[in-house]
Amino acid sequence: MTAHEAPLMLSVSGVRGIVGTTMTPEVAAGYAGAFGSFLKATTGKARPRVAVGLDGRISGPPLASAAIGGLLATGCDVIELGVAMTPSVGVMISHHRADGGLAITASHNPIEWNGIKCLDGDGLAPPPAVAKEIVARFKERRIDWCGPLEIGRVTHDHTSARVHCDRVLAQVDADAIRSRQFVVVLDSVNGSGCEGGRMLLEALGCRVTHLFGEPTGVFGHTPEPLVQNLVELARATGSTPGAACGFAQDPDADRLAIVDETGRFIGEECTLVLAALRILQRTGSGALAANLSTSRMIDDIAARFPGSRVVRTAVGEANVVAGLRSNGGIFGGEGNGGVILPGVCWVRDSLSAMALVLELLAHEGKPLSAIVASLPRYAMIKRKMELASVGGMAAVAPALAKVKAAFRKERLSDVDGVRVDFADGWVHLRASNTEPIVRVIAEAATEARANELCDLCERAAGV
Ligand code: MG
């Protein structure tokens, strides 16, 4: 199956599809109408207020217009944010005390894709039961279109980057960072992080070299912030005199990847660990939350701060946030570079991540490469297989059952797919929420052992 034949993906993470085939203005209006109807039913308000932002993809404006139409026609008032980072939509929901929000984004997916992500009145991704209800309304066309006198109104607020930056600045030791006058290279991939990313770094006294810093929506490289896509950032950071680090945002600016001062990619798993280290240095201890596919490094860091613990959750921002909230967590996120700092918003946020890493650099007074060298290191292997090649979604549950049976003597978690913990590593097999793929992720002391764990798991699953 090629990407162009990919189905419309409806999940806990929202809706995603291929522009022009499965993701059309018709889908956007229907999905937004379902969300508006859901808000009316659950808030009891005749005119819920919904903030709408888009990640700057060239396919965004027609989909955003259609989504806004769907909201207005179900009687919602819309706060139109223009191009906005997904975390900024979360910030603006609380800033305006809105009842929910929509981010028109396909996150790190290539330019062919677009999608819609819902946020609730607390600015967080709805829990699975709520997400399912919105999807059911959309599929069954249970949309409460209203009459002419109930149609909603649009207001415009294009200040989300400023409001968001101010929130982040209030959460970090901005003076300590400013005093260091860091030189930073930023790659915003021509996405929604261009304005806010640069604004934050300049407010923190950094001298910024900005790569792909024009929000044209035509991505400067394959957008997922992985080592193979960040060649220019690595080269620019390594060759910029005095550069402290390089940062890469994904198109909707919820994820951050980092290269050190020598231009070496430190791995997307390190973003969460560095930010967690700074948070724990500051607070002494606390509860953190991370998903089951996230590196053991965060457990090792938490172990350095007695009284701290890491709550492990299913993959997906909503699940991590639920873990944070139910455990009074101070910080959390995902190993893909997604950092959640609750004082800013309940959405993974590249701006929070940048500020915490710079605060760590200011506090440690050492180069980033030296800080990274002091972290525990594991080898992590992340494989993915086309869902169709393993027999489609129907084949996933039997495959998981086979893995559970094969490793019944090991420590197992079936909170999300199946994760098997061995004494010297772990492997996690699950179907993606957002793409028609199956992921196999393993971590161990060496790359050879991590590959071996992936092989063992795939063999047991029969895929
Ligand atoms: Mg993203």
mmCIF file of all heavy atoms in Angstrom, residues 107-108 250 252 254-255, ligand 1:
data_model
loop_
_atom_site.group_PDB
_atom_site.id
_atom_site.type_symbol
_atom_site.label_atom_id
_atom_site.label_comp_id
_atom_site.label_asym_id
_atom_site.label_seq_id
_atom_site.Cartn_x
_atom_site.Cartn_y
_atom_site.Cartn_z
ATOM 1 N N SER A 107 1.137 17.012 12.107
ATOM 2 C CA SER A 107 2.342 16.909 12.921
ATOM 3 C C SER A 107 3.586 16.718 12.052
ATOM 4 O O SER A 107 3.850 17.522 11.179
ATOM 5 C CB SER A 107 2.165 15.780 13.936
ATOM 6 O OG SER A 107 3.218 15.789 14.846
ATOM 7 N N HIS A 108 4.310 15.595 12.257
ATOM 8 C CA HIS A 108 5.572 15.381 11.549
ATOM 9 C C HIS A 108 5.382 14.673 10.216
ATOM 10 O O HIS A 108 6.354 14.413 9.523
ATOM 11 C CB HIS A 108 6.505 14.538 12.429
ATOM 12 C CG HIS A 108 5.910 13.203 12.755
ATOM 13 N ND1 HIS A 108 5.122 13.016 13.865
ATOM 14 C CD2 HIS A 108 5.941 12.029 12.094
ATOM 15 C CE1 HIS A 108 4.710 11.751 13.877
ATOM 16 N NE2 HIS A 108 5.177 11.129 12.822
ATOM 17 N N ASP A 250 9.365 20.096 14.848
ATOM 18 C CA ASP A 250 8.588 19.485 13.765
ATOM 19 C C ASP A 250 7.550 20.516 13.289
ATOM 20 O O ASP A 250 7.478 21.616 13.850
ATOM 21 C CB ASP A 250 7.995 18.131 14.196
ATOM 22 C CG ASP A 250 6.779 18.247 15.088
ATOM 23 O OD1 ASP A 250 6.733 19.215 15.867
ATOM 24 O OD2 ASP A 250 5.885 17.389 15.020
ATOM 25 N N ASP A 252 4.383 21.158 13.534
ATOM 26 C CA ASP A 252 3.436 21.786 14.468
ATOM 27 C C ASP A 252 4.099 22.107 15.801
ATOM 28 O O ASP A 252 3.428 22.513 16.753
ATOM 29 C CB ASP A 252 2.154 20.955 14.641
ATOM 30 C CG ASP A 252 2.368 19.648 15.370
ATOM 31 O OD1 ASP A 252 3.462 19.062 15.229
ATOM 32 O OD2 ASP A 252 1.454 19.214 16.100
ATOM 33 N N ASP A 254 5.428 20.633 18.316
ATOM 34 C CA ASP A 254 5.255 19.999 19.632
ATOM 35 C C ASP A 254 6.451 19.129 19.985
ATOM 36 O O ASP A 254 6.645 18.785 21.141
ATOM 37 C CB ASP A 254 3.926 19.218 19.733
ATOM 38 C CG ASP A 254 3.763 18.128 18.692
ATOM 39 O OD1 ASP A 254 4.585 18.038 17.760
ATOM 40 O OD2 ASP A 254 2.796 17.361 18.822
ATOM 41 N N ARG A 255 7.261 18.771 18.992
ATOM 42 C CA ARG A 255 8.446 17.947 19.260
ATOM 43 C C ARG A 255 9.722 18.735 19.025
ATOM 44 O O ARG A 255 9.772 19.609 18.177
ATOM 45 C CB ARG A 255 8.433 16.720 18.342
ATOM 46 C CG ARG A 255 7.421 15.683 18.761
ATOM 47 C CD ARG A 255 7.237 14.623 17.698
ATOM 48 N NE ARG A 255 8.455 13.890 17.402
ATOM 49 C CZ ARG A 255 8.530 12.920 16.473
ATOM 50 N NH1 ARG A 255 7.478 12.603 15.758
ATOM 51 N NH2 ARG A 255 9.662 12.300 16.266
HETATM 52 MG MG MG B 1 4.112 17.192 16.000
#
